[in-house]
Amino acid sequence: MFKIIWKRIKKTVLQISESRLLVLILVFCFLYAILINKLFNLQIVKGEYYMENYKLQIRKERNLQGTRGAIYDRNGELLAYNELAYSVTFEDNLSGAVDRNETLNRIMDQVIQIVEAHGDSVIHSFGIVLDSAGNYQFAQTNETLRLRFVADVYGLRTIDELEKEQKNASAEDLIHYLCTDELYGYELDDEKLDRQYILKMVNLRYAINLNSFQKFIPTVLASDVSDETRIAIMENLDKMEGVGIEEESLRRYTDSQYFASLIGYTGKISQEEYDALDKEVKERYALSDIVGKSGIEQVMDNVLQGDRGKKIFYVDSVGKVTEEVSFVEPGAGNDVYLTIDKKLQQQTYQIIEEKIAGIVLSKLSTVMNYDPSLEKDTMDIVIPSDNAYHAFIANEIIDEQHFGKEDAGATEKEVYAIYSARKSTVMDEILAELNGTTPYQSLSDEMKGYMDYMESILLGGILMADAIDASDPTYVAWSKDETISMNQYLNYAISKNWIDTSRLNEYISSEYSDAAEVYQAILRYLKDYLSSDMNFDKLIYKYLIKSGSVKGTQICAIVYEQGVLPMDEGTYNGLRSGAVDSFGWLHTQVQTLAITPGQLALEPCTGSAVVSDPNTGEVLACVSYPGYDNNRLANTMDSDYYTQLVTGLSRPFYNNATQETTAPGSTYKMITSVAGLTEGTIEGNTYISCGGAFEGVTPNPHCWSWPNGHGGLNVVDALNHSCNVFYYTIGFEFGKDRDGNYDSDRGIEVLRKYAEEFGLGETSGLEIPETEPNISDTDPVLSAIGQGTNNYTVSQLNRYVSTVANKGTVYKLTLLDKTTDANGKIIKKYEPSVVNKIKGVSRNTWNLIHDGMIAMINNTSSYGGVGIQVAGKTGTAQQSAVHPDHAVFVGFAPAESPEIAIAVRIANGYTSAYAAEIGRDIVRAHFELAEEEELITGHAAELGDSISD
């Protein structure tokens, strides 16, 4: 048996040895042995060495943004520049990680801890912020921009792609979506984790996601960090994959509050902005670029942007650069020189602030629970002390949400206890009224305030304003007659389908709820809303202060407790004990500008002025008060600060010089004068009698001098005394045909023709956004004195008075002087641009107009001793019977050979005398007719005699 087996084996071996298969087997065995030996050498013999020195070579290409050009004033004074700083960045190389969310969250948490431990902060540019009540809210109040942000969060290219539920998503809904969505969520527990922490994490994760589709683009996690933060990050790089420190060029602004409304700020380009670029221009930009977002920064972005550079390099597995292949140096942007005179801009801003502070002081009163509708003249309206104290809360000078915190001061805790007790009672009272039938007109003023506020909340979405029939008798009974209760009104609105029940889904148990169930759902919605609404809290504080439950001394003491003003133990303790009078304290703070009109946001709190060269259209100053710090918006936006600017009661984000329109009042009378003289309606020696009222139309419009009159006046006298009856008469005559028949439209067309000749039919030409003007289209009698529907910005009034000054040449106003390259070589010099030359107006007419304006100034006591002849015209524009009038002044100097033209407006400034005083001080500043210490005192300005017009 054994022999047989052995023979078979020998035979098989012999067959194999003679076969070609043997060669293949030997070859495979040899190669396999080599492979085994190599693997053993790599993993066992030299495994540790290769683990430490393993290099995964990845070729990268990175675009480098050019250095942004600087912005200067006309004299070469620096206004905007760049500064190198360190930033904490993150480059996402975790796309293949199984636990991507967990890894990213761990890394971001470490970054937050390190950055904040050294006094710095992570980026805060997400479109959602926390309000002072700790609730999520949208940073953007504009509905279109809010929806654009919502679409971005959901990854949609257009707003139209949003579903109804997505459009109605609250800020909290979006946070929850980003934290928990199975496909796109960040796996953050937004119910258990602190809201501030969640918002920080969402800010970082969202910013990383925005860059996720761009190869090798680092995301800035913290900007302008300290050396301590930089060192700490570098020491922990091995624990934070993708995190690094990079140098970046940050945009800085000098004396920002004076220039922010002009210069604007920079920020990361949005997808929408990028998509809007022309194809050729788009090649110069990348989605990671910093661009101008507003003002000159935006308008001149293509000039200021430097050419992009490029870097090609290799990195290893941990992102460390191992080899640089090529490098193209990014280019420097061009510099922009403005026509603005920096010193004059600053002085004008300070003059306006001090003058408004003076007006506020003159109107502050100890009276409380004041009703301005009882005043016969708007000049007599005062600022009641309870409104002033409440302004500290209403405009967030102090943080009422801090009153209830553990580290709150003694006075804060006292006030919070009063508020807490009252809020509980208020909620019960409100619910009782909402279930009752007391007519609105029978409610207390406080309850009316709460009802008005709740209606405004409901009109935000639940009450469909477009569906409401304004002529409906029940609606009229609520909105005008005030003879029904909110209960009756809302139940009627439900029956008329004026209610969007889809907004009440979480409060309605059934899809087919009846009217009673819908009404109860509205009540539950309101109760939930008001329980955490800081604006409702502010309203409660308003009535607590009015009732005396919260005292002015307590509000003033909290200013020290919260560090708004440096602690003064003596004053603080005096306020606590009652030894220091709160009204006297408030008066002192406004007097010294420790608390500014812009902070108080009372009436008045805003002003504007434009100063230009009437011979070129160059703007020397363009001031909007109050200003803001654009350094906090540039580079990485401070969203909380942005929200404060947008919602602030004094509207610091709003350019009052170019965006606010009001009636020009009597400053319009030069147009009517030119029209009357040129059309032959009057001549230089034509006298019109003023008896105090104009009887050509019914009801008879009055002159400002009513019940007195001016007697007989010619055009020079009429401008001097600003006689309304003189101009009512001219406006009325414009409407007459040859047979003496009056047609209002005919008169309006004459006025429109001349207003357009003076450039008031279009914007002034300024390069920054400007509201369109409106030439009056009704009632030539009132339009002739600058009323009717005339509405213009201060910039438009400046161009108009410039045209009066130079006797007929309408220039395009401009902020741009020249552009130069980085070496100072002029690229473009901006020359004066003439829009129109008024024809048909005689030299005598211009001389008469100038004479009238000079006479007005010479008749104004506050202009005595100025040292130069000024020509000017004042004007007031009424807002309503319960608000002070707007104060306007236009003028030019020197009168005989104008070098500057001025337009000034103080919103709710009471009398044009105050605007004229600002104009006077601008003249003194420009021509250096007074020492700066005399012009800018650092205190509220003294007020001159009143001028009526």
Side-chain angles (χ1 to χ4, degrees):
M1 184 70 178
F2 178 76
K3 288 181 178 181
I4 294 172
I5 294 172
W6 175 249
K7 285 181 179 180
R8 288 179 179 175
I9 291 173
K10 285 176 66 178
K11 185 178 179 181
T12 302
V13 170
L14 184 62
Q15 289 175 343
I16 290 173
S17 64
E18 294 175 350
S19 171
R20 295 178 181 176
L21 185 60
L22 177 62
V23 178
L24 289 174
I25 291 173
L26 292 174
V27 170
F28 275 109
C29 288
F30 178 73
L31 293 175
Y32 189 69
I34 293 174
L35 179 60
I36 293 295
N37 180 67
K38 192 69 175 176
L39 288 173
F40 183 81
N41 191 50
L42 287 171
Q43 296 186 14
I44 307 300
V45 178
K46 296 184 177 181
E48 186 175 352
Y49 170 82
Y50 283 118
M51 281 294 289
E52 293 178 354
N53 296 278
Y54 171 61
K55 299 283 189 288
L56 175 60
Q57 297 290 327
I58 303 175
R59 188 177 188 272
K60 293 191 175 187
E61 181 179 305
R62 179 175 296 170
N63 289 319
L64 305 172
Q65 186 170 11
T67 304
R68 196 169 184 83
I71 301 176
Y72 299 90
D73 84 334
R74 66 188 300 113
N75 301 311
E77 294 284 339
L78 193 60
L79 302 178
Y81 63 99
N82 306 302
E83 184 175 84
L84 285 178
Y86 290 109
S87 294
V88 181
T89 63
F90 178 77
E91 191 168 328
D92 191 357
N93 297 318
L94 304 176
S95 56
V98 176
D99 56 349
R100 173 178 166 78
N101 271 325
E102 181 182 341
T103 303
L104 273 174
N105 291 340
R106 173 184 57 79
I107 294 172
M108 295 306 108
D109 179 76
Q110 289 176 296
V111 169
I112 292 172
Q113 291 187 42
I114 294 173
V115 168
E116 294 186 345
H118 296 88
D120 292 317
S121 57
V122 294
I123 59 169
H124 193 12
S125 54
F126 189 54
I128 292 174
V129 297
L130 282 174
D131 62 25
S132 55
N135 298 315
Y136 296 116
Q137 68 174 30
F138 290 106
Q140 183 54 254
T141 55
N142 178 278
E143 182 64 8
T144 301
L145 295 178
R146 183 191 72 82
L147 290 175
R148 178 62 263 172
F149 166 71
V150 173
D152 289 340
V153 171
Y154 285 115
L156 304 175
R157 291 191 63 83
T158 66
I159 293 174
D160 295 336
E161 296 177 50
L162 285 167
E163 297 176 0
K164 184 176 181 181
E165 185 178 355
Q166 292 173 325
K167 284 184 177 180
N168 294 332
S170 66
E172 186 149 359
D173 292 336
L174 288 188
I175 292 289
H176 185 70
Y177 166 78
L178 288 173
C179 288
T180 62
D181 186 76
E182 291 185 7
L183 189 58
Y184 301 108
Y186 305 151
E187 295 183 16
L188 294 167
D189 192 337
D190 60 321
E191 294 183 359
K192 293 183 179 180
L193 293 171
D194 178 74
R195 289 190 167 211
Q196 286 189 343
Y197 177 78
I198 284 289
L199 194 56
K200 291 172 189 174
M201 290 291 286
V202 169
N203 263 273
L204 300 182
R205 291 294 309 273
Y206 187 75
I208 292 169
N209 273 14
L210 289 179
N211 277 349
S212 62
F213 60 92
Q214 302 176 71
K215 297 185 70 176
F216 317 130
I217 298 296
T219 300
V220 174
L221 304 180
S223 186
D224 194 16
V225 298
S226 63
D227 287 338
E228 291 77 12
T229 296
R230 177 178 62 86
I231 292 169
I233 290 289
M234 295 295 289
E235 290 174 347
N236 289 275
L237 286 182
D238 59 327
K239 303 173 186 175
M240 302 181 294
E241 184 180 348
V243 174
I245 293 289
E246 292 191 8
E247 272 194 347
E248 65 172 337
S249 180
L250 297 182
R251 198 63 162 170
R252 303 294 194 200
Y253 303 102
T254 62
D255 302 304
S256 57
Q257 65 176 334
Y258 308 123
F259 298 95
S261 59
L262 285 182
I263 294 176
Y265 57 92
T266 61
K268 187 176 179 181
I269 191 171
S270 66
Q271 182 70 53
E272 192 171 23
E273 288 170 326
Y274 182 77
D275 291 342
L277 295 173
D278 293 335
K279 186 177 180 180
E280 297 167 356
V281 177
K282 192 176 290 186
E283 295 177 358
R284 295 188 60 201
Y285 291 85
L287 277 166
S288 58
D289 283 353
I290 297 296
V291 299
K293 306 294 279 189
S294 69
I296 292 296
E297 289 278 30
Q298 183 181 44
V299 172
M300 301 299 288
D301 189 75
N302 63 328
V303 174
L304 293 164
Q305 283 282 1
D307 292 330
R308 281 191 295 166
K310 183 179 291 187
K311 180 179 179 181
I312 299 175
F313 54 99
Y314 285 94
V315 298
D316 60 21
S317 59
V318 293
K320 184 178 179 181
V321 177
T322 59
E323 180 185 354
E324 187 175 294
V325 178
S326 65
F327 180 79
V328 177
E329 185 79 30
N334 297 316
D335 297 331
V336 173
Y337 285 77
L338 303 182
T339 59
I340 295 294
D341 182 318
K342 180 180 180 180
K343 184 178 180 181
L344 183 62
Q345 177 86 3
Q346 292 173 312
Q347 290 176 323
T348 300
Y349 182 97
Q350 292 167 317
I351 289 167
I352 290 173
E353 181 172 65
E354 292 182 9
K355 186 62 64 178
I356 294 176
I359 300 170
V360 170
L361 282 183
S362 73
K363 295 298 181 179
L364 269 179
S365 170
T366 56
V367 68
M368 296 179 68
N369 294 296
Y370 174 69
D371 184 358
S373 66
L374 300 178
E375 301 289 359
K376 294 181 179 180
D377 190 331
T378 56
M379 269 296 294
D380 298 326
I381 292 174
V382 301
I383 300 173
S385 58
D386 52 348
N387 283 9
Y389 298 135
H390 181 246
F392 281 82
I393 292 176
N395 207 37
E396 300 181 15
I397 300 173
I398 57 177
D399 179 9
E400 52 98 358
Q401 292 300 319
H402 189 263
F403 297 177
K405 299 290 178 64
E406 289 184 11
D407 61 342
T411 318
E412 289 181 278
K413 290 177 179 178
E414 292 170 0
V415 171
Y416 185 72
I418 297 169
Y419 151 79
S420 298
R422 180 56 186 153
K423 182 168 184 178
S424 177
T425 307
V426 164
M427 292 300 295
D428 291 340
E429 292 173 356
I430 288 174
L431 289 174
E433 289 297 343
L434 289 174
N435 283 302
T437 57
T438 305
Y440 178 90
Q441 63 184 0
S442 301
L443 298 174
S444 67
D445 288 343
E446 181 175 355
M447 188 54 65
K448 285 179 180 178
Y450 295 140
M451 292 296 165
D452 291 343
Y453 185 69
M454 285 185 290
E455 184 181 23
S456 71
I457 292 170
L458 295 176
L459 283 170
I462 292 175
L463 257 175
M464 298 182 291
D466 294 341
I468 295 174
D469 179 3
S471 63
D472 185 287
T474 302
Y475 179 74
V476 172
W478 163 255
S479 62
K480 295 182 180 179
D481 299 338
E482 302 178 352
T483 54
I484 63 174
S485 68
M486 180 172 267
N487 179 335
Q488 294 167 306
Y489 167 56
L490 289 178
N491 274 291
Y492 184 77
I494 293 169
S495 71
K496 301 297 288 185
N497 294 318
W498 295 348
I499 300 291
D500 183 359
T501 55
S502 67
R503 303 295 296 271
L504 298 167
N505 286 339
E506 61 181 293
Y507 299 95
I508 297 177
S509 57
S510 170
E511 184 179 349
Y512 303 101
S513 299
D514 59 23
E517 289 174 307
V518 172
Y519 185 69
Q520 290 304 311
I522 291 174
L523 297 190
R524 289 193 292 274
Y525 169 82
L526 285 171
K527 186 176 181 181
D528 284 353
Y529 190 100
L530 296 178
S531 66
S532 60
D533 178 33
M534 68 173 184
N535 289 319
F536 179 61
D537 293 344
K538 290 177 180 178
L539 197 57
I540 293 175
Y541 277 111
K542 173 183 176 179
Y543 291 109
L544 284 173
I545 292 170
K546 282 183 175 296
S547 68
S549 299
V550 172
K551 303 183 184 306
T553 51
Q554 291 175 306
I555 297 297
C556 300
I558 290 172
V559 172
Y560 291 109
E561 289 183 351
Q562 292 194 356
V564 177
L565 295 179
M567 176 57 76
D568 179 333
E569 293 288 349
T571 303
Y572 170 71
N573 291 327
L575 287 166
R576 293 270 297 154
S577 67
V580 173
D581 172 56
S582 58
F583 186 80
W585 178 91
L586 177 62
H587 194 281
T588 299
Q589 305 315 311
V590 177
Q591 172 67 33
T592 60
L593 299 179
I595 300 295
T596 67
Q599 286 178 289
L600 285 173
L602 299 168
E603 291 180 345
C605 65
T606 65
S608 55
V610 176
V611 184
S612 69
D613 182 342
N615 305 300
T616 63
E618 294 180 352
V619 175
L620 307 177
C622 183
V623 171
S624 176
Y625 177 84
Y628 62 94
D629 184 0
N630 48 354
N631 286 298
R632 296 180 64 179
L633 303 180
N635 310 305
T636 301
M637 178 179 284
D638 182 338
S639 295
D640 288 334
Y641 184 61
Y642 177 83
T643 302
Q644 184 182 340
L645 294 178
V646 172
T647 59
L649 300 180
S650 60
R651 305 177 305 168
F653 211 39
Y654 187 74
N655 192 328
N656 297 297
T658 64
Q659 293 178 295
E660 181 183 46
T661 61
T662 60
S666 294
T667 63
Y668 187 87
K669 289 175 178 175
M670 285 83 79
I671 289 179
T672 307
S673 298
V674 169
L677 290 165
T678 305
E679 293 291 317
T681 306
I682 59 171
E683 294 180 352
N685 58 0
T686 299
Y687 280 79
I688 296 175
S689 180
C690 168
F694 177 66
E695 299 177 355
V697 294
T698 304
N700 303 151
H702 291 167
C703 187
W704 65 265
S705 61
W706 172 264
N708 300 314
H710 288 109
L713 305 95
N714 61 20
V715 68
V716 172
D717 297 330
L719 285 170
N720 178 11
H721 298 290
S722 199
C723 177
N724 287 345
V725 169
F726 186 94
Y727 292 99
Y728 291 149
T729 304
I730 294 176
F732 184 76
E733 291 297 319
F734 285 158
K736 287 184 178 179
D737 61 17
R738 292 181 179 178
D739 298 325
N741 299 312
Y742 176 74
D743 182 352
S744 176
D745 291 342
R746 183 182 294 108
I748 282 295
E749 281 308 307
V750 175
L751 287 171
R752 171 176 289 277
K753 169 188 171 184
Y754 283 90
E756 288 177 344
E757 285 284 296
F758 278 89
L760 289 178
E762 59 186 12
T763 54
S764 69
L766 288 176
E767 290 78 10
I768 58 178
E770 185 178 17
T771 304
E772 291 288 334
N774 189 76
I775 297 175
S776 183
D777 57 1
T778 183
D779 195 345
V781 173
L782 291 179
S783 297
I785 66 163
Q787 300 295 333
T789 57
N790 280 305
N791 275 292
Y792 309 106
T793 65
V794 172
S795 52
Q796 290 152 12
L797 292 179
N798 177 274
R799 183 166 76 161
Y800 147 56
V801 77
S802 293
T803 304
V804 174
N806 66 41
K807 299 183 178 179
T809 302
V810 183
Y811 285 99
K812 181 178 180 180
L813 291 190
T814 181
L815 294 165
L816 301 177
D817 180 18
K818 63 183 177 181
T819 58
T820 67
D821 63 18
N823 298 315
K825 181 180 178 181
I826 293 180
I827 298 172
K828 181 176 181 179
K829 176 67 179 175
Y830 291 85
E831 301 296 337
S833 177
V834 176
V835 177
N836 181 41
K837 286 193 175 183
I838 300 176
K839 299 176 181 178
V841 179
S842 70
R843 177 175 295 183
N844 184 56
T845 292
W846 290 120
N847 290 339
L848 289 171
I849 302 302
H850 281 217
D851 288 346
M853 296 176 72
I854 291 170
M856 196 229 86
I857 291 296
N858 290 341
N859 196 35
T860 304
S861 60
S862 61
Y863 273 78
V866 169
I868 193 173
Q869 182 62 66
V870 181
K873 185 71 193 75
T874 55
T876 56
Q878 189 177 51
Q879 178 176 334
S880 74
V882 295
H883 293 277
D885 294 344
H886 304 305
V888 188
F889 171 79
V890 297
F892 52 87
E896 60 278 7
S897 181
E899 295 179 26
I900 61 169
I902 303 166
V904 178
R905 176 165 55 221
I906 308 172
N908 306 114
Y910 286 90
T911 169
S912 55
Y914 305 143
E917 289 170 16
I918 291 173
R920 173 202 65 197
D921 290 341
I922 291 172
V923 169
R924 295 167 75 199
H926 177 76
F927 292 105
E928 299 181 347
L929 300 173
E931 296 294 329
E932 187 167 2
E933 294 76 15
E934 181 184 346
L935 289 169
I936 314 296
T937 65
H939 290 76
E942 295 182 4
L943 304 178
D945 296 331
S946 173
I947 300 174
S948 298
D949 56 12

